[in-house]
Amino acid sequence: MTNRKQRLELTWIGKDETPRLEPRILLEDRDKSYLAEVKSSNHGIFDNILIQGDNLLALKAMEQEYAGKIKCVFIDPPYNTGSAFEHYDDGIEHSLWLSLMRDRLELLKRLLAEDGSLWITIDDNEAHYLKVLCDEVFGRVNFIGNVIWEKSDSPRMDAVFLSNRHDHILVFAKNIERTTWHRLDEDTPAHYDKIDNDGRQYYLKPLRAMGGQGDSRATRPTLYFALTAPDGTEVFPKRQDGTDGAWRWNPQRVEKERERIDWVRGRNGWTPYYRIYADNSKGRPVETIWRHEDVGSNRTSKAEVKALFPDLVPFGTPKPERLLKRIIEISTNPGDLVLDSFAGSGTTGAVAHKMGRRWIMVELGDHAATHIAPRLRKVIKGEDKGGISEAVEWQGGGGFRYYRLAQSLLEKDTWGNWIISKDYDPTKVSQAVCKLMGFVYRPDETRYWLQGRSSETDFIYVTTQSLTHEQLAAISQEVGGEQTLLVCCKAFHANADAFPNLTIKKIPQTVLRRCEWGKDDYSLNVSDFPTDPYEPDDEDDPEQTNKKPERKRDGNDRSQNDLFGQGGGE
């Protein structure tokens, strides 16, 4: 008999297996970074970041610096719509997808600010499992809603059952009690055709009750009474058939809101109306159905990317700029930080940049360099005139820095022993060990031994050299009695307990068990992946059909899919 307390949860094969991630350092590729020539732009945000590398490792690399600082996370992960294994029904592939999502969601939650929100696009294949998974990670109470995005502007006539025209956008808060959103701006509807003396728009509605069981004197006797018209005559509520009716308001409310009542004289005498004002100060609440004419469709997004790069192979599933504009408009303010860890074609960063938000994007694939970086350079130079550019009056400006994940700190030598990687110079070693040990890398200009800190009095010194007793004694004296220092070195020749203010550790031994080393890819590399022989033309949307063409299983119909690698994205 088990003592394990039962609870409501989603279970799958391998759920209890979680990766032990190495917190890598980020290395800037200055040739791919780009800053506007004129830094006096009104849109001069220059500390944006594009990271090429495995997105799980990249999220871990960001955790120390950005935990609790991201206002909005938007991700468009792989939809897991292809069968990666011959026997899908055994649950293996589905379980792997859930584990891959869980690992990333847990890190994204730590990166989100307390008032931040998460937005995930997904289709019917995994949407409902993903909702339950997010309930576990974020807490069911923090579920904000499920937006239905009309991704297609026309049906697929070859669909066998349902022509799929929508995707889901699951929305969660980090802490729903702290989350605040903006309502949607909109023009006042045309039927608000009157203006009062204060300039407020309104329209008129009859004060007489109309329709239903409450519009007659018999059903609402207390609402049958006389009102005094402008010429002093008494007016009673009358139905269209001439019988006695009822007013919408009782006598007390009529007296309280007399200024809202307008009298209109017609052929049959005076008729009272009441004013309904447009509430322009609050805007329109965000609804759960987003139509393609408002936020764009798949066809819109493909055209946007094709206009920017007509000679490049188009990205498979971009999202329209107007869709990202609405999400960012709702959930952030200018200067807030937006993160997309499945960057795809870079739409999130492009839109955030044009809207004056800071952004971080992560992408494993080569199109980080071939598509995303060139796209953002066009945005910065003001050459991107499409998408939302006109709506936000974008003229250019700002910049971004291009980073790659560093190689693993440790590698095995010829005899299978773990050693510090040959790619690491002393500065990189210091940065990496600081991050591994939970210290912020911040070298002091005058004290060589102060390379990082975890508090105002707790510091770290990392060196690839061996230290003698005399060297450690000199360091201990400089540190003094009010401060402490963690010393990480190749070796030391001294009694480790001889210096009360020093803690001395050998590297790599002291970090060996902290994480798994030498693993650069946490995506699911699936070889022997069956391709889909059905290839729709450019006018069709391959995501909008339930048609399942027969898959070829011969040796000539093979390709490779990289789930959570180059797949997904927007």
Side-chain angles (χ1 to χ4, degrees):
M1 183 175 179
T2 180
N3 292 325
R4 184 171 181 262
K5 185 177 180 180
Q6 290 185 327
R7 61 174 181 172
L8 182 66
E9 65 177 320
L10 179 65
T11 62
W12 65 85
I13 300 168
K15 180 177 181 179
D16 295 331
E17 299 173 10
T18 56
R20 296 167 58 242
L21 301 173
E22 176 188 359
R24 304 281 182 90
I25 60 174
L26 298 174
L27 305 176
E28 184 178 359
D29 186 337
R30 295 183 182 276
D31 291 337
K32 293 184 173 62
S33 297
Y34 188 81
L35 304 177
E37 294 180 5
V38 180
K39 294 193 176 184
S40 59
S41 167
N42 291 332
H43 303 277
I45 296 178
F46 294 88
D47 56 347
N48 304 300
I49 294 175
L50 173 58
I51 303 171
Q52 182 174 0
D54 179 89
N55 60 8
L56 190 60
L57 285 171
L59 292 174
K60 185 65 177 178
M62 289 188 287
E63 183 180 12
Q64 184 183 59
E65 183 176 356
Y66 291 99
K69 295 181 180 179
I70 309 294
K71 187 65 180 292
C72 171
V73 172
F74 171 84
I75 57 172
D76 183 23
Y79 286 5
N80 200 24
T81 53
S83 182
F85 297 92
E86 184 176 356
H87 303 291
Y88 183 85
D89 289 340
D90 62 9
I92 296 293
E93 182 189 42
H94 179 66
S95 294
L96 284 170
W97 188 89
L98 287 169
S99 291
L100 292 167
M101 280 303 303
R102 186 270 318 277
D103 297 338
R104 287 153 177 81
L105 288 171
E106 288 179 344
L107 274 168
L108 289 171
K109 181 183 178 183
R110 293 199 285 272
L111 291 170
L112 269 175
E114 282 299 302
D115 58 350
S117 56
L118 167 71
W119 304 69
I120 314 175
T121 53
I122 198 72
D123 69 2
D124 284 330
N125 191 56
E126 294 286 4
H128 307 87
Y129 288 94
L130 181 59
K131 162 62 169 68
V132 178
L133 176 59
C134 288
D135 284 343
E136 287 192 17
V137 175
F138 282 82
R140 193 171 178 182
V141 68
N142 290 312
F143 175 61
I144 292 178
N146 177 19
V147 173
I148 300 300
W149 168 48
E150 188 183 19
K151 67 178 181 180
S152 171
D153 53 16
S154 62
R156 283 290 293 270
M157 302 309 295
D158 58 354
V160 176
F161 297 112
L162 297 174
S163 177
N164 182 11
R165 293 183 59 177
H166 77 278
D167 273 355
H168 303 266
I169 306 177
L170 300 180
V171 190
F172 277 80
K174 170 76 171 284
N175 181 347
I176 202 164
E177 294 182 355
R178 297 278 301 275
T179 300
T180 57
W181 275 6
H182 302 292
R183 293 193 171 203
L184 298 175
D185 293 331
E186 65 172 6
D187 295 330
T188 304
H191 65 274
Y192 287 88
D193 55 355
K194 301 182 183 303
I195 301 177
D196 69 6
N197 294 332
D198 296 323
R200 295 186 299 167
Q201 292 177 274
Y202 69 94
Y203 72 92
L204 294 176
K205 197 167 185 179
L207 189 59
R208 180 179 64 82
M210 302 176 68
Q213 298 179 347
D215 66 344
S216 68
R217 180 178 183 179
T219 57
R220 306 294 296 276
T222 60
L223 298 181
Y224 180 81
F225 55 90
L227 292 178
T228 303
D231 63 358
T233 60
E234 290 187 335
V235 177
F236 289 88
K238 296 292 182 180
R239 303 172 70 190
Q240 289 184 337
D241 61 5
T243 60
D244 292 341
W247 301 119
R248 292 176 182 268
W249 296 351
N250 60 32
Q252 293 77 23
R253 186 171 181 185
V254 167
E255 184 62 32
K256 182 179 179 180
E257 302 201 44
R258 187 169 295 277
E259 291 184 357
R260 285 181 61 194
I261 297 175
D262 283 8
W263 287 89
V264 177
R265 188 168 190 172
R267 289 180 298 177
N268 298 323
W270 291 97
T271 303
Y273 292 80
Y274 68 100
R275 300 179 181 183
I276 297 180
Y277 284 94
D279 190 358
N280 294 323
S281 62
K282 294 183 179 179
R284 179 164 59 90
V286 183
E287 299 178 71
T288 56
I289 297 179
W290 295 5
R291 304 193 181 280
H292 71 83
E293 57 264 29
D294 297 322
V295 296
S297 65
N298 280 342
R299 193 192 305 268
T300 306
S301 54
K302 290 173 183 176
E304 289 172 351
V305 176
K306 191 172 183 179
L308 284 170
F309 302 106
D311 298 329
L312 290 178
V313 176
F315 193 79
T317 56
K319 295 296 180 285
E321 289 200 9
R322 280 185 290 159
L323 179 69
L324 270 299
K325 178 178 181 290
R326 173 170 287 191
I327 291 172
I328 293 171
E329 221 168 33
I330 290 167
S331 60
T332 69
N333 295 307
D336 283 341
L337 197 50
V338 178
L339 168 65
D340 184 350
S341 55
F342 293 91
S345 64
T347 303
T348 302
V351 173
H353 201 103
K354 294 176 186 180
M355 295 178 68
R357 274 67 168 175
R358 296 176 295 145
W359 55 266
I360 301 173
M361 290 192 290
V362 182
E363 181 54 52
L364 173 64
D366 290 337
H367 49 272
T370 60
H371 286 66
I372 300 177
R375 179 176 186 175
L376 268 297
R377 284 196 291 271
K378 285 179 176 285
V379 171
I380 291 165
K381 290 190 288 187
E383 296 176 355
D384 178 2
K385 305 298 183 183
I388 67 166
S389 295
E390 183 177 347
V392 299
E393 300 180 349
W394 176 250
Q395 300 296 321
F400 69 93
R401 300 191 183 278
Y402 192 105
Y403 289 92
R404 298 180 187 274
L405 285 169
Q407 295 295 316
S408 182
L409 173 64
L410 302 186
E411 63 182 13
K412 286 189 175 181
D413 63 14
T414 307
W415 297 275
N417 299 313
W418 288 105
I419 60 172
I420 294 175
S421 170
K422 292 183 289 292
D423 291 333
Y424 277 74
D425 58 28
T427 299
K428 291 179 184 176
V429 172
S430 296
Q431 288 180 270
V433 174
C434 279
K435 182 170 280 193
L436 277 163
M437 305 302 287
F439 287 75
V440 176
Y441 178 70
R442 194 179 302 160
D444 189 84
E445 293 182 359
T446 58
R447 292 170 289 179
Y448 70 93
W449 50 265
L450 201 169
Q451 296 176 341
R453 64 185 67 214
S454 64
S455 70
E456 291 300 317
T457 59
D458 189 27
F459 310 116
I460 186 172
Y461 172 45
V462 182
T463 177
T464 55
Q465 303 299 314
S466 297
L467 298 178
T468 65
H469 178 90
E470 290 74 18
Q471 288 172 316
L472 289 168
I475 292 172
S476 175
Q477 185 173 0
E478 285 194 45
V479 171
E482 302 298 322
Q483 301 175 139
T484 56
L485 180 69
L486 172 63
V487 179
C488 297
C489 55
K490 181 179 179 180
F492 59 93
H493 306 285
N495 180 0
D497 297 327
F499 312 104
N501 57 353
L502 303 185
T503 301
I504 310 171
K505 302 285 186 181
K506 291 182 181 181
I507 51 173
Q509 289 84 350
T510 190
V511 297
L512 272 177
R513 296 182 180 180
R514 288 185 172 266
C515 54
E516 51 188 335
W517 303 96
K519 186 168 182 179
D520 297 318
D521 188 355
Y522 285 87
S523 62
L524 172 61
N525 292 312
V526 183
S527 59
D528 201 27
F529 187 80
T531 58
D532 195 335
Y534 175 72
E535 295 182 358
D537 58 43
D538 291 340
E539 294 301 314
D540 288 335
D541 183 349
E543 297 176 3
Q544 297 170 13
T545 180
N546 290 59
K547 185 175 181 179
K548 296 182 178 179
E550 196 174 315
R551 295 186 182 275
K552 297 180 181 179
R553 301 298 298 177
D554 60 65
N556 296 322
D557 187 30
R558 306 295 189 197
S559 65
Q560 181 166 320
N561 184 46
D562 191 8
L563 187 58
F564 282 51
Q566 296 184 35
E570 45 59 58

